[in-house]
Structures are given as C-alpha cells and as structure tokens.
Amino acid sequence: RTVRLGDLVVVYEGFNRQKAVTVTEKGCYQNRYGNFHHREWVGKPYGSKVYGKGDAGFVWLLAPTPELWTKVLPHRTQILYLPDISLVCHALELKPGSVVLESGTGSGSLTHSLIRAVAPTGHVYTFEFNRVRAEAASAEIVDHGLAKFCTVTHRDIEALGFPSELEDRCDAAFLDLPGPWKCISSVAKCLRPDGVVCSFSPCIEQVQRCCEALEANGFGDCQTVELLGREYDVEARELQRDLATAQPKLSSRWKREAKEKARRKRKHVDGGDGDGDGDGDGDGDGDGNEPKPVVVAHPRQEAQHHTGYLTFARLAIRVTRETIDAARAA
C-alpha cells in the first residue's frame, strides 16, 4: 500500500510527537527537522522514512490505525485512551458481525476502535447530543472511508432514549453520559439477551446511580473498574554512584546527551561515529570519577490518561412461563 493524493497520513516524529496530515499536491509539512513536500511522499510505501529539504532530518509516514488516531485526533471532548479502549472492547465481547450502540461520540476515539472490532459485517450506531460534534464526527467517519460500518446521529439519548428501530438488534452498548441511569431502560430494550453494557463515569456517585438502574432493569453480573493509568519512561542516564566524590554537573551532562540525541536524529546516515563537540563547560571530563550510564525507570511527568470508572453489566436472559412450557413439551 502506497501513499496517494488525498490520503490521511500519520507523520511520526517521535513517541509523543505525531500529527495527522492529509496529502495534497501543494502541501508542505514543516517541523524542526525541515520542510517536507507532500508531492515527494506520493508513491512511497506506508512505513517509509522520508527526509526533509537538505536532509536536515527525517520523519516516518504511517498508515492510520485506531491506536494512532487516538493519539493525533482533534480533541472536541475528553477521550478514552488505548488501555481503557482495549478493556472496553474485550469486556463487550465484540467480534466481526456485532452490532454496537454508543452514546457520547465526542471526539470519536473509541468509535474507531469499535468499528475495527465489528467490521466487516457488523455496525456501530453512535449518538451525540451536540450537533456540532456530531457533524464533525460524521465528516471524519466519511473521510476515513468507514461510513458503511458506522452511523453517526445527532440525538439526546438521556432525554429520548435510543431509536425504537434498534430494539432487540444490538449485542453491546457503551455509554459516556453525565446521567447514564436515565437511559438504562432504553438500553435494555435494544440489547439482545446476554448482551453487555458498559458505562464510563468520572464520579463514584454516578456509578452508584447507574448500578441501581441496571439492577432495576434486569441486568446482572455488575462490576466496576477504576481507571488509574500511570506511564513510565525507561531510559539510560548517568547517575552519581559514589557520593564521596565531587558531584559533576549532571544537568549540563544531560543537556549534552539531549544535543547528541538530536544530532543523531538529524544525521542522514544512521550509526555514525557519535563524536560530539560538547558544550565546553569544563565540568571535569575524563577525571576518572564520572558517573556511568545506567538504565532507570521513572513516572512520566505528563501522561495521556484521566481517572474514572468503567461499569459493566450483562442483560439477564428472561425466561417466561411460555418458554418453560415449550421446552418441556419438546
């Protein structure tokens, strides 16, 4: 698969530096590594490394996936991130052919993962009460070529419930609403027996009211998971191990390491000799007491995550007297 005009490409600069770019004839992507003309990307396979004007640096051209889209999408609301999304898709027991309800489309982060889980024979019906956000999400779904797998509708689910034409047709439902308990009865009508519902809530009081509504509407096996994400960075650093010796200027040393890393990034040929000019601060290089590099792990200062609760429940199979009599007669 190669890049074509009009394609959506994820330009990858680093682990936390990606951007979604639509390829145009006269487009030019600019960053600290130089200018990258879109026309030079056309025809290159996805995953290619491309260099800017003057070979000052490079970026990677990646095909969009739900995971990458979550990292680069325009934020219209708070979103669920990859660890939470994977838990939701697993707990909802999604598979190709499943029909899923989603209320609270927001920025469409979860929507793209739901589509991939149920494609090519399933469908996602997602609803958003804000008209501007609903129209923006619908345009993105069309632009990404996913319209046959997903229907975006402007509708206030808390006030109106889900459409009657979806009753007894759905296998799973996801709710991201301020008052999810208001539409649990509508969810129960739309789910097939043994269907699973998941509700995201930032406050425990919302979880309590939602659980009461779930029990009152025939749901069982209710459980709540608290989301506490914490990401760690693992890297090599030079740490002072002998505290009896004079402390070198570690801050300056780390700055030099950052400069060296940036120099290697800009270098056209990978695996150079790695020699650097240093910063000339005279902090005692080569005195025999310098710290040695060690691998350390530390919590990331800014993590893409937010706290909250995911509540899961399963619609109990209702067994009527007529069903029992028919089974005995058979």
Side-chain angles (χ1 to χ4, degrees):
R1 184 183 173 191
T2 59
V3 178
R4 298 176 299 178
L5 288 175
D7 280 359
L8 178 70
V9 175
V10 176
V11 179
Y12 183 94
E13 299 180 30
F15 182 73
N16 281 321
R17 295 193 306 274
Q18 302 100 29
K19 187 174 182 180
V21 177
T22 300
V23 180
T24 60
E25 176 65 32
K26 298 182 179 180
C28 181
Y29 179 76
Q30 298 176 330
N31 64 6
R32 58 180 177 171
Y33 299 123
N35 299 326
F36 301 82
H37 295 282
H38 292 187
R39 61 177 177 271
E40 297 178 358
W41 298 353
V42 176
K44 292 185 178 295
Y46 279 101
S48 297
K49 178 195 293 187
V50 295
Y51 291 90
K53 198 73 172 178
D55 292 338
F58 63 86
V59 296
W60 300 89
L61 305 180
L62 304 182
T65 64
E67 290 82 7
L68 289 174
W69 181 246
T70 293
K71 296 176 75 69
V72 301
L73 58 78
H75 284 237
R76 297 182 287 269
T77 60
Q78 275 195 333
I79 66 171
L80 288 180
Y81 290 97
L82 301 180
D84 311 330
I85 291 174
S86 62
L87 175 60
V88 170
C89 292
H90 172 73
L92 291 182
E93 301 176 354
L94 301 182
K95 59 184 182 298
S98 297
V99 178
V100 187
L101 296 175
E102 181 191 21
S103 182
T105 310
S107 301
S109 174
L110 176 63
T111 308
H112 283 73
S113 291
L114 295 178
I115 293 171
R116 183 179 61 182
V118 304
T121 54
H123 202 86
V124 176
Y125 294 92
T126 181
F127 299 85
E128 171 60 49
F129 85 97
N130 182 283
R131 182 179 296 276
V132 175
R133 292 200 292 264
E135 292 175 351
S138 180
E140 287 175 352
I141 294 297
V142 173
D143 291 342
H144 299 168
L146 303 174
K148 63 180 179 180
F149 308 119
C150 180
T151 302
V152 183
T153 304
H154 169 240
R155 184 182 177 94
D156 187 350
I157 295 299
E158 285 189 4
L160 304 175
F162 290 100
S164 57
E165 56 266 24
L166 294 177
E167 293 183 3
D168 296 320
R169 290 184 51 195
C170 303
D171 302 292
F174 178 83
L175 306 176
D176 186 356
L177 301 169
W181 56 89
K182 298 177 182 179
C183 63
I184 294 298
S185 59
S186 178
V187 173
K189 294 178 182 178
C190 294
L191 288 182
R192 298 188 178 104
D194 206 37
V196 183
V197 61
C198 173
S199 174
F200 172 78
S201 300
C203 303
I204 193 63
E205 291 81 7
Q206 295 170 302
V207 174
Q208 293 171 339
R209 298 190 65 176
C210 184
C211 290
E212 293 173 353
L214 289 168
E215 183 179 2
N217 285 275
F219 287 87
D221 194 20
C222 185
Q223 56 181 326
T224 298
V225 178
E226 185 177 7
L227 306 177
L228 295 172
R230 191 178 191 186
E231 299 181 8
Y232 279 78
D233 284 323
V234 180
E235 60 185 1
R237 283 195 173 182
E238 293 185 349
L239 302 181
Q240 179 71 13
R241 298 188 294 177
D242 185 2
L243 300 181
T245 61
Q247 296 277 345
K249 296 180 181 179
L250 291 179
S251 60
S252 297
R253 186 172 301 282
W254 289 344
K255 290 179 181 178
R256 288 204 307 276
E257 291 175 358
K259 291 180 181 178
E260 176 63 17
K261 185 182 296 185
R263 188 188 70 81
R264 291 196 303 268
K265 172 74 174 178
R266 293 191 299 268
K267 195 172 181 61
H268 188 290
V269 180
D270 295 331
D273 55 10
D275 56 346
D277 296 328
D279 57 4
D281 60 0
D283 59 354
D285 289 348
D287 60 5
N289 293 323
E290 293 185 6
K292 295 183 179 180
V294 295
V295 177
V296 297
H298 56 89
R300 185 170 297 168
Q301 294 287 336
E302 298 179 0
Q304 289 186 330
H305 205 279
H306 56 82
T307 58
Y309 302 89
L310 288 175
T311 300
F312 302 93
R314 187 179 298 274
L315 183 62
I317 299 177
R318 295 184 177 88
V319 181
T320 63
R321 175 56 59 181
E322 291 77 9
T323 305
I324 296 175
D325 292 341
R328 288 175 175 173

